[in-house]
């Protein structure tokens, strides 16, 4: 990955652009927005869009435009982080449950 590719579309430094991707990946994980479909396929739900991340030929590949342009994205970082965890399913299940509880509280105004 070249620094030119990271800097396209803005004046941010490569380090700042990568930090932004890592922060978004952390948000995706903390909000329970990564769904494991199979050992090789994940569904990632962003604020404005949804993407598939698949493991193919020894690397993760995302359907988003950012990955196409830069070769890396927050969706891939989130999935790669999850894949390193020993008990991915328990982590995902708990994050999804937390998100559902929070959204139900927001919908019905209960604490």
């Amino acid at each position: 990955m070249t620094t030119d590719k990271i800097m396209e579309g803005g004046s941010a430094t490569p380090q700042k652009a990568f930090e932004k991707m890592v922060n978004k990946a952390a948000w995706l994980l903390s909000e329970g927005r990564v769904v494991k479909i199979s050992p090789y396929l994940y569904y990632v739900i962003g604020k404005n869009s949804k993407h598939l991340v698949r493991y193919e030929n020894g690397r993760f590949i995302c359907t988003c435009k950012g990955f196409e342009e830069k070769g890396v994205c927050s969706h891939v970082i989130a999935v790669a982080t999850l894949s390193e965890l020993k008990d991915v399913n328990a982590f995902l299940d708990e994050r999804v449950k937390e998100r559902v509880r929070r959204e139900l509280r927001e919908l019905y105004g209960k604490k």
Side-chain angles (χ1 to χ4, degrees), residues 1-12:
M1 165 179 42
T2 67
T3 56
D4 294 338
K5 284 189 174 187
I6 290 176
M7 292 177 63
E8 285 177 15
S11 60

Side-chain angles (χ1 to χ4, degrees), residues 21-91:
M21 278 190 262
V22 170
N23 289 336
K24 184 176 176 188
W27 177 81
L28 290 166
L29 291 169
S30 70
E31 293 294 312
R33 292 176 172 263
V34 180
V35 179
K36 184 177 181 181
I37 297 171
S38 79
Y40 305 101
L41 187 64
Y42 292 80
Y43 186 56
V44 183
I45 307 159
K47 286 182 182 177
N48 302 313
S49 59
K50 299 162 183 76
H51 298 285
L52 290 173
V53 175
R54 69 185 184 280
Y55 188 75
E56 187 175 285
N57 297 324
R59 67 186 203 120
F60 289 106
I61 299 168
C62 184
T63 58
C64 78
K65 186 176 179 181
F67 182 84
E68 185 180 310
E69 294 172 355
K70 300 173 191 135
V72 68
C73 66
S74 57
H75 314 113
V76 164
I77 294 169
V79 169
T81 300
L82 267 182
S83 72
E84 294 296 317
L85 296 175
K86 289 184 180 179
D87 196 0
V88 159
N89 291 326
F91 175 83

